[in-house]
Amino acid sequence: MSDLTAIYPPPAEFAAKANVSGMAAYQALYDKAKEHPEEFWGELAEKELHWFEKWNHVFEWNPPFVKWFVGGKTNLSYNCIDRHLNGPRKNKVAILWEGEPGDQRAITYQELHRLVSRFASCLKARGHKAGDRAIIYMPMVPEAAVAMLACARLGIVHSVVFGGFSSEALKARILDLEAQLVITADGGWRRGKEIRLKDAADEAMTGCPSVKDCVVLRRTGSTVPMQEGRDHWWHDLDATASEDCPAEPLDSEHPLYVLYTSGTTGKPKGILHTTAGYALQAAMTMKWVFDLKEEDTYWCTADIGWVTGHSYIVYGPLAAGATTLMYEGAPDFPNFGRFWRIIEKYKVNIFYTSPTAIRALLRQGDQWPNAHDLSSLRLLGSVGEPINPAAWEWYHRVIGKGRCPIVDTWWQTETGAILIAPMPGAVGAKPGSGTLPMPGILPEVVDFNGNPMGDDREGFLIIRRPWPSMLRTLWGDPERYKEAYWSRIPGIYFTGDAARRDKDGYFWILGRVDDVMNVSGHRLSTMEVESALVRHPAVAEAAVVGKPHEVTGQAVCAFVSLKKGDHDTAALGKELRQWVAHEIGAFARPEEIRFSEALPKTRSGKIMRRLLRDIVNNNTVSGDVTTLEDMNVLTRLAAQHDEG
Ligand code: WTA
């Protein structure tokens, strides 16, 4: 393996054509944004977005609440579609799609306009309007993007729920948003099996009195029950739809979407993003980080249910006028060559995926990628979790053939857009580092009191100044917003990540410092899984920790104590894993469950997760255990593992 701090400079040929070429160009942008933020963002907003009415001020900062482009009127659906229609992009492919069974579609900007206008006019005709809330629970099909864009067109606040979430998780989100509208499908394809979404939606919607309409797309063609009055087939509504549905001029700060993500309690946080600032930064990072060119075919493998799907499959690429590829299914279906085949087939130029996917595919051997022509690739990206140097090297050598820069992009659901990543024609890479901040972003590594740490010292990652695409609040819970992000170091955005900055100013993200796990690049709170476990009638107490996992980064490990009675722990272990999948979703299923009579606690009754982490990581316990209530519990938990 190469020296960890070796810099891979931007290849000369790449740099020569890059949107931002050379360090001096990056530095100039960065300095301007730092010194004159209003001018910097104001000029970009004017140039890069369409405005129905111009704003009065670039931003208003009343910590911790911010407004961007105050007083302006715009519309993200218009910016993603309509404004491209009067020029050479009219018949450019906007969405290139491949279904898991191999079906494919190529939708031009003009056609996307027609589809979105038709669907938006159906929603409008049924009385849905700006400020209402819609839940989108769909497979990775173009209509998922159409639904998002139709909502954005009318100002309906959407919340996309990942298709892997269970009906329970879906219900919690419908209730929290008091959504009037649910947009779903009969099902979708995953590893050749149908994921039956409408069944889950039906279960979720019972007990959700706010839901007036449920629109159902026919994807798999299987039979689903339709409730008279509430449920409507997409194609039935579409049959009489108007194609005339202009984008509503919306306030810059009009709520665009709410995306639920795990926090440190059992209840997910509804991250609220608004219109103009989000649109601007999503579009700009497409140009800066992905070096987007007019002729590129760009593919991000994320699911639309995560923030990466929002910012880098739908809104960012379309606002920037890109051709964005969407793939419905699994990377290993029908075999481990699927991703490489798609790259070859569509001549993908920019490929953006997660370290988990890279590690999983790396393990299958080089014969899979080597069987395909990957020469169209010019840039590779990584997101969601730290990428280990071995996976980075493989990605660089075997996929990028040593030619393609890799952009390791650090950001969060909360940040809306990429905040730390190399501009690939300017900033050299060090495997495992997100490198340098984007213009306008002032990250820092600090101690508990907010004092900057020296070079190469570990601390908390914070961001010093508000940026256009940052979350505005948590849906219905401004107090939790203040407490979760702005109270650890008063008035400063706290990311929840640990990091260090090296002497070259490069950021190295070390993982979460709170009770959030990162499994396959998906955020999952320990409390969320614990609350699910204790809802099971046999469980007295549960404590969950993440343990290192070769492929998924972390895996869920649960410690469970049972209520009195006779238990068949082998059977119960299986049942509890299934239970968590039912309560949250299959991706949250614990890999390991350990039973114990009690859990290690401090005298004040707090579960000592740090000790449990020690047990799963090295099966030993170190550090201060004097506050422990019952040391025997620990010995038993560790011993259980030795017995296998
Ligand atoms: C982690 C995903 C290291 C980090 C866009 C962050 C990363 C959390 C990286 C956000 C990266 C994301 N390197 N860690 N390049 N990207 N993370 O909200 O811990 O699903 O706080 O957003 O993922 O996860 P989220």
Side-chain angles (χ1 to χ4, degrees):
M1 211 196 321
S2 69
D3 174 7
L4 284 193
T5 55
I7 290 201
Y8 287 74
E13 204 190 323
F14 188 99
K17 297 184 203 147
N19 293 345
V20 179
S21 182
M23 263 317 262
Y26 161 76
Q27 201 62 52
L29 277 172
Y30 191 81
D31 292 347
K32 177 164 184 197
K34 186 174 172 183
E35 277 145 37
H36 310 285
E38 299 213 19
E39 209 180 300
F40 179 81
W41 290 116
E43 281 170 16
L44 280 180
E46 183 130 34
K47 185 164 146 253
E48 302 285 342
L49 296 180
H50 169 88
W51 295 91
F52 296 109
E53 266 172 54
K54 206 187 147 181
W55 64 90
N56 309 315
H57 324 283
V58 174
F59 67 95
E60 247 174 49
W61 178 221
N62 297 310
F65 297 100
V66 75
K67 291 180 179 167
W68 281 86
F69 310 112
V70 186
K73 291 224 182 319
T74 184
N75 183 297
L76 186 47
S77 183
Y78 188 98
N79 276 284
C80 286
I81 310 171
D82 305 50
R83 66 166 164 153
H84 302 311
L85 301 182
N86 292 322
R89 288 183 186 146
K90 176 179 161 208
N91 289 319
K92 176 177 176 174
V93 173
I95 298 177
L96 199 52
W97 174 79
E98 178 157 305
E100 196 185 71
D103 37 349
Q104 56 187 69
R105 285 161 76 185
I107 300 168
T108 63
Y109 276 95
Q110 185 64 60
E111 175 65 1
L112 186 61
H113 181 262
R114 204 175 67 81
L115 295 174
V116 170
S117 301
R118 290 181 77 95
F119 190 60
S121 69
C122 296
L123 300 183
K124 196 171 173 177
R126 297 206 58 80
H128 300 285
K129 57 182 189 312
D132 289 357
R133 273 89 52 211
I135 292 275
I136 299 176
Y137 185 60
M138 293 185 81
M140 286 284 290
V141 292
E143 283 77 4
V146 169
M148 292 163 75
L149 291 158
C151 288
R153 197 167 188 80
L154 301 176
I156 298 169
V157 186
H158 66 64
S159 185
V160 183
V161 178
F162 171 52
F165 273 115
S166 68
S167 58
E168 288 298 318
L170 177 61
K171 182 174 189 167
R173 286 153 176 76
I174 299 175
L175 288 172
D176 194 58
L177 276 179
E178 299 171 273
Q180 295 86 352
L181 173 64
V182 172
I183 305 168
T184 186
D186 46 6
W189 296 112
R190 188 86 188 165
R191 295 200 174 85
K193 289 210 193 80
E194 186 190 12
I195 306 288
R196 293 185 56 89
L197 295 171
K198 176 63 163 53
D199 289 353
D202 280 337
E203 228 180 291
M205 285 186 290
T206 53
C208 292
S210 60
V211 178
K212 300 280 175 286
D213 283 315
C214 173
V215 182
V216 187
L217 177 80
R218 181 171 282 159
R219 163 67 184 136
T220 58
S222 67
T223 315
V224 293
M226 296 291 279
Q227 185 180 307
E228 185 71 35
R230 184 195 69 185
D231 298 350
H232 320 272
W233 284 109
W234 183 305
H235 57 263
D236 285 343
L237 295 181
D238 185 69
T240 54
S242 158
E243 273 172 27
D244 181 22
C245 188
E248 301 267 342
L250 299 169
D251 193 273
S252 292
E253 284 296 331
H254 187 81
L256 173 67
Y257 68 79
V258 174
L259 190 56
Y260 287 87
T261 188
S262 295
T264 52
T265 71
K267 189 173 181 279
K269 303 187 280 199
I271 308 293
L272 176 72
H273 283 292
T274 58
T275 301
Y278 175 82
L280 181 62
Q281 224 168 340
M284 287 321 299
T285 44
M286 282 305 298
K287 299 181 184 187
W288 287 333
V289 180
F290 295 111
D291 190 50
L292 185 72
K293 298 284 173 3
E294 203 55 55
E295 60 279 12
D296 280 326
T297 300
Y298 161 90
W299 182 22
C300 166
T301 68
D303 190 280
I304 227 157
W306 308 111
V307 74
T308 308
H310 287 61
S311 301
Y312 297 109
I313 295 177
V314 180
Y315 291 125
L318 296 176
T323 296
T324 177
L325 194 150
M326 243 173 121
Y327 166 58
E328 177 186 30
D332 56 355
F333 189 85
N335 60 46
F336 289 98
R338 188 63 182 265
F339 274 12
W340 319 128
R341 172 65 189 136
I342 291 176
I343 291 173
E344 174 179 51
K345 183 171 169 188
Y346 299 98
K347 304 284 177 272
V348 170
N349 307 105
I350 306 171
F351 178 62
Y352 189 32
T353 194
S354 67
T356 289
I358 297 166
R359 286 190 293 264
L361 293 167
L362 169 162
R363 279 156 65 99
Q364 302 306 319
D366 297 1
Q367 73 277 16
W368 293 106
N370 287 348
H372 296 278
D373 177 6
L374 305 181
S375 61
S376 58
L377 289 173
R378 64 180 196 86
L379 181 66
L380 303 172
S382 165
V383 62
E385 45 184 319
I387 179 166
N388 50 310
W392 195 101
E393 298 285 348
W394 183 82
Y395 198 27
H396 188 254
R397 179 171 52 83
V398 179
I399 307 307
K401 312 293 178 203
R403 256 185 319 105
C404 307
I406 295 179
V407 288
D408 179 352
T409 63
W410 179 87
W411 59 298
Q412 308 179 296
T413 306
E414 291 85 347
T415 70
I418 295 167
L419 297 196
I420 301 178
M423 292 193 185
V427 178
K430 298 185 190 184
S433 168
T435 77
L436 302 178
M438 288 288 108
I441 305 304
L442 278 64
E444 215 163 270
V445 178
V446 302
D447 66 14
F448 251 111
N449 301 314
N451 301 315
M453 306 290 287
D455 287 350
D456 283 322
R457 304 247 335 264
E458 284 182 25
F460 302 116
L461 182 67
I462 54 112
I463 315 284
R464 283 225 178 262
R465 227 188 240 166
W467 60 98
S469 66
M470 76 178 222
L471 80 165
R472 297 301 192 259
T473 187
L474 296 180
W475 182 260
D477 202 349
E479 286 309 313
R480 190 175 177 198
Y481 166 72
K482 287 187 202 164
E483 150 62 35
Y485 304 105
W486 305 92
S487 65
R488 176 71 71 95
I489 297 146
I492 309 277
Y493 178 80
F494 179 67
T495 63
D497 279 351
R500 69 186 169 80
R501 182 160 61 180
D502 71 17
K503 59 181 185 336
D504 298 327
Y506 278 44
F507 286 86
W508 299 78
I509 309 299
L510 304 166
R512 306 285 307 187
V513 294
D514 49 17
D515 291 322
V516 174
M517 297 172 285
N518 191 329
V519 179
S520 305
H522 300 151
R523 265 164 74 170
L524 195 58
S525 103
T526 52
M527 292 279 285
E528 224 172 317
V529 182
E530 286 164 8
S531 333
L533 284 166
V534 297
R535 284 197 291 270
H536 188 281
V539 173
E541 277 188 314
V544 165
V545 295
K547 67 173 201 177
H549 188 279
E550 224 184 308
V551 174
T552 59
Q554 281 190 312
V556 178
C557 180
F559 293 83
V560 170
S561 72
L562 296 172
K563 290 184 184 157
K564 293 246 175 310
D566 286 337
H567 298 290
D568 171 356
T569 48
L572 197 56
K574 271 195 200 137
E575 188 179 320
L576 288 178
R577 295 175 69 237
Q578 194 42 41
W579 174 264
V580 173
H582 174 263
E583 294 287 297
I584 302 174
F587 69 97
R589 188 184 282 137
E591 176 168 280
E592 193 180 338
I593 293 193
R594 296 196 198 180
F595 293 101
S596 163
E597 274 163 43
L599 297 174
K601 286 188 194 153
T602 61
R603 287 186 210 286
S604 64
K606 212 168 170 295
I607 293 176
M608 298 187 82
R609 280 204 194 76
R610 180 178 57 77
L611 296 177
L612 298 175
R613 243 177 260 136
D614 271 356
I615 293 180
V616 297
N617 287 338
N618 31 29
N619 228 20
T620 57
V621 179
S622 57
D624 178 19
V625 291
T626 51
T627 47
L628 256 190
E629 189 192 343
D630 175 10
M631 187 61 203
N632 291 334
V633 174
L634 268 185
T635 331
R636 271 196 301 277
L637 288 171
Q640 206 185 25
H641 187 70
D642 290 339
E643 290 157 15

